[in-house]
Amino acid sequence: MEAVKLRIKKLTEGALWRQVGKMLLAAGIGVLLSGVTFEADVSPFGVAFAAGAPMELLLPASLGAAAGAFVFSAPMVTLKYVGATTLIFLFRLALPRFFPKTQERYTLPTTAFFCTLLCAGIVSFASLPSADSLIFSLCEGAVAGASAAFWHRVFLLLPGGKKLLAATAGDTAALLFAGAMLLLAADRFAPGGVSVAHAAAFFLVMLLGLCAGETAGAVWGIAAGLTLGFRPEHAYLAFSLPAAGLLCGIAAPAGKLPIALAFPVCDLLFLVLKGDAEIFTPALVELAAATLLFCLLPKRLITAAEDCLRPLSRRLNGEEAGRLLGLHLRRGAKAVREISAAVTAVGNYFRKKQAQTPEALQKDVRAEVCADCEKRIFCWEHTRILTDRAFAEADKALQAHGKLIPELLPERLQVVCRAKNALCDCFSRKYLEQAARDSVRSEVYEAKAAAAAQFATVAALLENAAAGAERTTAPDPFLAAQAEAVFAEAGFALSSVLLPTDDAGRTTLELLCPKLPDAPDYNAILDALYMQTNILFQPPVAESIPEAGTWLTFCERTAFRTDFYKCSASSGDEALCGDACEGFYDGRGAFFCVLSDGMGTGAEAAVDAAMTCALTGKLLRARFSMGAAVDAVNAALRVNADDETLTTLDVLRLDLYTGEADLCKAGAYLSALRLGEKTAMVEKSTLPLGILGETRWERTGFRLAAGDAVIMMSDGADLLPAVFFKDLFYKNRGADAKTLATLTLEAAVKYAPIGRADDVTVACIRLINQ
């Protein structure tokens, strides 16, 4: 007996039997859907199923739809179906010769629409020539086209019938619409008043609630309730099924039994409140059959259903993923801020407690010098007030001169004190000891304050990352699969492929490649991506990630691009320029220019400016906001070295889709703008970075059009008058960025007076059409 079972299993698991089973299933669905007819013999679902089925199921789906119309519908509907399915079959065979397979999502709905419209219009107008018949034909064609798009997506989701490949919002709509069509088709079969469709809907609500959670159960309950609740006697289903689906999802963690109890209770409650007494008995039979089938469902089948529906559950609840990640990041930021506050509070407490007061210094001197003096009682008991005043004056003289000598003693001490030299020596020694202790404490307190500032900066970066995570939408897995196929064919070894969408609906393709192929042809790859995804991408921005590979970022083609040029001139006697400038694309449709001017000239200023420019660039590439980047760089500068480190920072962000620009300045010199025929100057009065713990910077927003330009400069060009830039833009209207930057630098060097040593850096950014 076991040998027979194994033989049957082997035969049924073969490719031929699976294909035969798929063909029979497709024919059966075609038969069911073609029997759904609405007002004026509108019957679009069978034709749509034939149009959306894959090529290997096209013939059985078409034959099943035509056969179902012959069995269930009027002769005119059968004629319409035969004509529409025949045209679709012929068109489907011819379409691959003219359109690539990747365009099926557009060609199949269009084919269903025109074939249905043509056949329905001819048949309807022949039987009843009127404008109403043409309107009904148009509606039938539109519904057929939309339904074909849904069926095409469903077959992509279930290529093997065992597991969902993905479940985006469009995928979910396709699955729900297909399920609703099948329920509507099955609702016609109700032997003895017991509806098979109702029992199937009940069973699926419980199964989805168990396997995919409350969201999936409730969404399917809404779809099923709206589909089955059109009849007045069954209107209660429009309320009971969504509520029961939500309740099943909530009870799912407890297992099958709570769901099997919760669903009937909820459904019976709505049936009693809203249902018709005549359908009470059939509804009980439907409910009992669905509940019994659900309870008897083997664990192996439940596991298979969970595996199949896992992408649906994850995607339906995926919109919460960004908020959940943002919540975790914000919790981490809160903890880090609490650490920063605790370090600051402890440092302030001990600084206040351990501070050495002038009275303490005077007490130490009195204890050492006056303890054995014969005039101690006279000085510190009979005339204590005068002595205290004299010691306070001596302390002030010591702080003013750094050392106390007899000539600097107050008049009273010069007259009364017999140990003037010992008093001065003790005052000076104790003062130096106190200064040394205060210096050590000050360094400790500064280190603690710097650590607290670093913690606060990390917290700000986490909060910024949390805000970005909450705005990020989940990637489209279908587009990711198509893109992955393109790069695999081009020889890329990929470890990650993502296609997130931003708030404006623009898609970004992000790839992590452990190893890039030699000399990849990105132009051919972009063409192939366009054929597969219908999205025109730009060449990538590459970033090397240690021990992981290369991160490639492709953004949708922008409306503009930039012409960027920078040039510098160091001061007369220095080999290095104390300024640093960098311009780069972020891979998401924005261009950044970062300009930093280190205080002073030469190597030290160059190091500070280069560090500021490099850190800012790395943070901006990592997609932190400009505010978070400036705060982090300021905190880094404050703990960079023993000496004070001051640099200016000038950052431009330019959106290449819209031309919107933001100019952020922290102690930076003015910038010149060419906006059409006008010239504008942007000047902000802020302090450089590295001075204050709290960053003070100002932002200016404006919008550029094609041909407009921005000139950013270090303060070595501070002698250039505003009229110079007006003349520069007027006389060089069509000039490129190199010309504008070079002329500005030459003029700045020319205007500088003899003997003045300062570095000059000029960067020009022109916006031009793509």
Side-chain angles (χ1 to χ4, degrees):
M1 190 65 179
E2 293 296 329
V4 174
K5 289 182 179 180
L6 290 175
R7 183 65 178 169
I8 295 174
K9 183 178 181 181
K10 185 176 181 180
L11 287 174
T12 54
E13 286 182 349
L16 177 61
W17 286 102
R18 286 201 301 268
Q19 187 63 25
V20 170
K22 289 180 182 179
M23 295 175 69
L24 292 176
L25 181 62
I29 293 176
V31 171
L32 280 176
L33 293 177
S34 61
V36 180
T37 305
F38 300 99
E39 185 71 23
D41 291 333
V42 174
S43 182
F45 293 153
V47 178
F49 179 73
M55 286 298 296
E56 61 269 19
L57 301 180
L58 175 60
L59 183 59
S62 301
L63 292 177
F70 179 78
V71 173
F72 297 112
S73 302
M76 285 297 183
V77 177
T78 304
L79 181 62
K80 178 173 58 176
Y81 255 85
V82 171
T85 52
T86 303
L87 286 177
I88 287 174
F89 186 82
L90 295 175
F91 273 112
R92 290 285 303 275
L93 293 178
L95 283 176
R97 297 178 178 271
F98 304 99
F99 300 97
K101 183 177 175 60
T102 55
Q103 301 301 314
E104 282 186 348
R105 56 178 172 172
Y106 304 111
T107 57
L108 297 186
T110 305
T111 301
F113 171 74
F114 282 109
C115 292
T116 304
L117 176 62
L118 179 62
C119 295
I122 292 174
V123 172
S124 300
F125 198 77
S127 61
L128 184 63
S130 66
D132 291 343
S133 63
L134 295 179
I135 294 175
F136 278 116
S137 300
L138 182 63
C139 295
E140 187 172 358
V143 174
S147 303
F150 284 130
W151 279 114
H152 173 64
R153 191 115 184 188
V154 168
F155 280 109
L156 290 177
L157 283 171
L158 292 166
K162 292 184 178 180
K163 184 175 181 180
L164 287 173
L165 289 182
T168 64
D171 302 333
T172 305
L175 289 168
L176 294 177
F177 195 83
M181 283 190 283
L182 291 176
L183 282 182
L184 199 61
D187 196 29
R188 294 177 292 112
F189 303 101
V194 178
S195 173
V196 177
H198 290 186
F202 296 162
F203 173 77
L204 288 175
V205 167
M206 289 187 283
L207 183 63
L208 281 170
L210 176 65
C211 299
E214 62 269 19
T215 306
V219 171
W220 169 248
I222 293 172
L226 293 177
T227 303
L228 301 175
F230 277 114
R231 297 181 183 178
E233 63 272 19
H234 294 145
Y236 77 96
L237 293 175
F239 304 96
S240 67
L241 288 181
L246 179 62
L247 190 60
C248 290
I250 295 174
K256 281 201 306 182
L257 185 59
I259 293 178
L261 293 176
F263 183 88
V265 171
C266 182
D267 194 67
L268 285 173
L269 178 63
F270 279 95
L271 179 63
V272 172
L273 294 176
K274 297 288 185 180
D276 191 342
E278 296 180 0
I279 65 167
F280 193 81
T281 301
L284 286 179
V285 175
E286 298 161 359
L287 185 59
T291 306
L292 181 62
L293 180 61
F294 176 74
C295 291
L296 297 178
L297 199 63
K299 186 176 182 179
R300 177 172 56 86
L301 293 181
I302 293 178
T303 303
E306 288 177 344
D307 185 56
C308 176
L309 298 172
R310 188 174 294 115
L312 177 65
S313 172
R314 183 170 59 246
R315 180 59 190 177
L316 283 173
N317 298 311
E319 61 188 19
E320 302 294 332
R323 288 195 287 270
L324 182 61
L325 177 59
L327 177 62
H328 287 316
L329 290 173
R330 290 188 187 280
R331 290 178 64 188
K334 181 181 178 183
V336 175
R337 283 201 183 278
E338 289 176 352
I339 294 174
S340 174
V343 171
T344 302
V346 170
N348 292 337
Y349 172 76
F350 281 106
R351 168 175 279 187
K352 183 178 180 180
K353 183 177 181 181
Q354 297 177 3
Q356 188 78 14
T357 62
E359 292 77 10
L361 174 62
Q362 297 168 22
K363 184 178 180 181
D364 292 341
V365 174
R366 184 182 69 179
E368 181 175 331
V369 178
C370 303
D372 300 329
C373 182
E374 58 186 19
K375 298 185 68 174
R376 180 175 60 83
I377 296 177
F378 171 78
C379 293
W380 292 104
E381 292 184 9
H382 299 301
T383 59
R384 182 183 182 91
I385 296 177
L386 297 176
T387 306
D388 283 338
R389 187 180 302 168
F391 264 56
E393 293 175 1
D395 186 73
K396 291 180 180 180
L398 176 63
Q399 293 183 17
H401 296 85
K403 186 180 179 180
L404 193 62
I405 59 177
E407 288 77 10
L408 296 177
L409 287 174
E411 181 179 356
R412 174 175 174 78
L413 293 179
Q414 289 184 1
V415 173
V416 175
C417 185
R418 295 183 177 181
K420 300 181 184 64
N421 292 329
L423 183 66
C424 291
D425 292 341
C426 186
F427 254 117
S428 299
R429 187 176 69 255
K430 295 294 183 181
Y431 178 77
L432 291 176
E433 292 175 359
Q434 177 183 325
R437 287 194 300 269
D438 290 345
S439 178
V440 172
R441 290 194 186 107
S442 178
E443 290 181 359
V444 173
Y445 297 145
E446 288 178 1
K448 290 181 178 180
Q454 292 295 311
F455 281 123
T457 303
V458 171
L461 291 177
L462 288 174
E463 290 172 350
N464 190 259
E470 291 170 352
R471 291 193 304 268
T472 302
T473 58
D476 188 333
F478 268 118
L479 293 179
Q482 292 171 334
E484 186 172 4
V486 170
F487 283 94
E489 186 177 351
F492 284 74
L494 304 178
S495 58
S496 179
V497 181
L498 295 174
L499 279 97
T501 304
D502 63 11
D503 296 338
R506 292 186 286 261
T507 302
T508 303
L509 172 59
E510 302 183 43
L511 311 171
L512 182 58
C513 310
K515 186 178 180 181
L516 293 176
D518 296 333
D521 186 358
Y522 285 116
N523 290 328
I525 291 173
L526 295 178
D527 292 340
L529 283 173
Y530 179 72
M531 295 298 295
Q532 286 287 341
T533 64
N534 202 36
I535 300 175
L536 186 59
F537 290 103
Q538 290 193 158
V541 172
E543 181 181 359
S544 178
I545 300 178
E547 300 181 1
T550 303
W551 189 266
L552 298 177
T553 305
F554 299 77
C555 67
E556 287 192 33
R557 186 177 178 86
T558 58
F560 305 101
R561 59 188 177 89
T562 58
D563 176 20
F564 171 72
Y565 187 78
K566 63 178 180 179
C567 50
S568 301
S570 60
S571 60
D573 55 350
E574 296 288 353
L576 293 176
C577 178
D579 305 331
C581 183
E582 181 183 11
F584 58 89
Y585 295 96
D586 71 340
R588 289 201 167 190
F591 178 84
F592 286 91
C593 180
V594 182
L595 175 63
S596 178
D597 180 5
M599 292 296 102
T601 60
E604 292 186 2
V607 169
D608 295 337
M611 187 190 78
T612 300
C613 189
L615 286 178
T616 306
K618 288 182 180 297
L619 290 168
L620 294 176
R621 285 188 178 95
R623 293 169 193 151
F624 288 103
S625 67
M626 288 200 293
V630 173
D631 291 341
V633 171
N634 182 67
L637 289 173
R638 295 191 69 216
V639 296
N640 181 46
D642 295 334
D643 296 331
E644 194 173 44
T645 303
L646 306 179
T647 62
T648 68
L649 185 61
D650 208 351
V651 183
L652 172 72
R653 182 189 183 277
L654 181 57
D655 189 327
L656 299 180
Y657 291 105
T658 63
E660 296 287 342
D662 286 319
L663 192 58
C664 169
K665 289 182 177 292
Y669 184 56
L670 60 82
S671 299
L673 312 180
R674 178 173 66 188
L675 305 175
E677 297 297 326
K678 297 181 179 180
T679 300
M681 310 301 292
V682 178
E683 183 176 9
K684 298 296 181 183
S685 57
T686 54
L687 293 174
L689 300 182
I691 298 177
L692 302 177
E694 181 182 356
T695 310
R696 295 181 182 178
W697 54 276
E698 294 180 342
R699 175 183 295 177
T700 302
F702 49 91
R703 184 166 190 155
L704 300 179
D708 291 348
V710 179
I711 296 180
M712 302 166 61
M713 300 159 285
S714 63
D715 59 6
D718 60 350
L719 295 179
L720 292 177
V723 68
F724 165 79
F725 297 100
K726 187 174 182 180
D727 293 340
L728 175 71
F729 291 140
Y730 180 77
K731 295 177 181 179
N732 301 275
R733 294 184 179 180
D736 59 5
K738 181 177 181 180
T739 301
L740 295 175
T742 304
L743 291 175
T744 303
L745 180 66
E746 292 175 352
V749 174
K750 180 181 177 181
Y751 273 84
I754 298 175
R756 177 178 176 179
D758 200 359
D759 306 306
V760 184
T761 296
V762 179
C764 182
I765 306 96
R766 283 185 67 246
L767 191 67
I768 55 180
N769 287 320
Q770 189 70 267

